[in-house]
Amino acid sequence: MDLSARTAEQIGEAIRRARKARGWTQGDISARTNLRVATISSLENGDAGTKLSTLLAVMAALGLEFRLVERGGAVEIEDIF
Amino acid sequence: MDLSARTAEQIGEAIRRARKARGWTQGDISARTNLRVATISSLENGDAGTKLSTLLAVMAALGLEFRLVERGGAVEIEDIF
DNA sequence: TATGAAATTACGGTCTAGCGTAAATATCAT
DNA sequence: ATGATATTTACGCTAGACCGTAATTTCATA
């Protein structure tokens, strides 16, 4: 499962995959974040207008975190040890 | 340089470090993104209300991309090869 | 293919990001 | 110190996110 993303669409898709990998519905995320199901839907569908707070809340509910990496950069050995 | 982030503050700090590592000013980012300097400032200072489009534009200008990873998860061997 | 659950879309309302512009601080080199 | 550069903050404005609520469409499975 590739979770790299540089567009809102890719982020939304990654969120959706992570959610389904846990067997959760948008309603489950909604209950855990107090965000409306419509908001989760909008995020997963790649709305770039989504607020950072919304994305972070959903990611926290999914147990995810960001890693900011160089575009096209290989994984650095420092990232491992 | 640790670029992991799960809060707006950490994201802002990571952006600021990446910018300075390139020797750029907020004005440089502004020129490349058509975002106001004040907006870049707000983002770097951890405003969670920042729009995803803003963050993505700044990251693109810096040649960065996201990687969504499991919290506390180790680097998977699949991430390397 | 029926059918209940899940996801998307809609409408009025509040709140705020980001805009243009500009002033106020802060940072830094000489 | 001081002048130049960089960052932060302010004000009025417009656009749009997210809210509550609810209708509508899509999807999964019996």
Side-chain angles (χ1 to χ4, degrees), chain B residues 28-60:
Chain B
D28 292 327
I29 305 289
S30 174
R32 286 171 167 83
T33 59
N34 290 319
L35 290 167
R36 292 165 60 258
V37 175
T39 302
I40 317 292
S41 172
S42 183
L43 167 62
E44 291 189 352
N45 283 311
D47 178 10
T50 301
K51 281 192 280 185
L52 191 49
S53 59
T54 297
L55 174 59
L56 289 169
V58 172
M59 288 183 61

Side-chain angles (χ1 to χ4, degrees), chain B residues 60-75:
Chain B
L62 289 168
L64 297 174
E65 71 180 12
F66 280 128
R67 200 153 295 175
L68 283 74
V69 302
E70 307 284 334
R71 283 195 177 188
V75 174

Side-chain angles (χ1 to χ4, degrees), chain A residues 34-36 39 47 49-51 54:
Chain A
N34 289 320
L35 290 167
R36 291 166 61 259
T39 301
D47 177 11
T50 301
K51 282 192 281 185
T54 297

Side-chain angles (χ1 to χ4, degrees), chain A residues 6-37:
Chain A
R6 57 180 67 169
T7 68
E9 285 77 14
Q10 291 169 344
I11 290 175
E13 194 53 44
I15 292 289
R16 174 164 282 158
R17 280 197 229 175
R19 172 176 63 81
K20 293 200 169 180
R22 287 160 179 72
W24 291 357
T25 66
Q26 291 179 349
D28 291 328
I29 305 289
S30 175
R32 286 171 166 82
T33 58
N34 289 320
L35 290 167
R36 291 166 61 259
V37 174

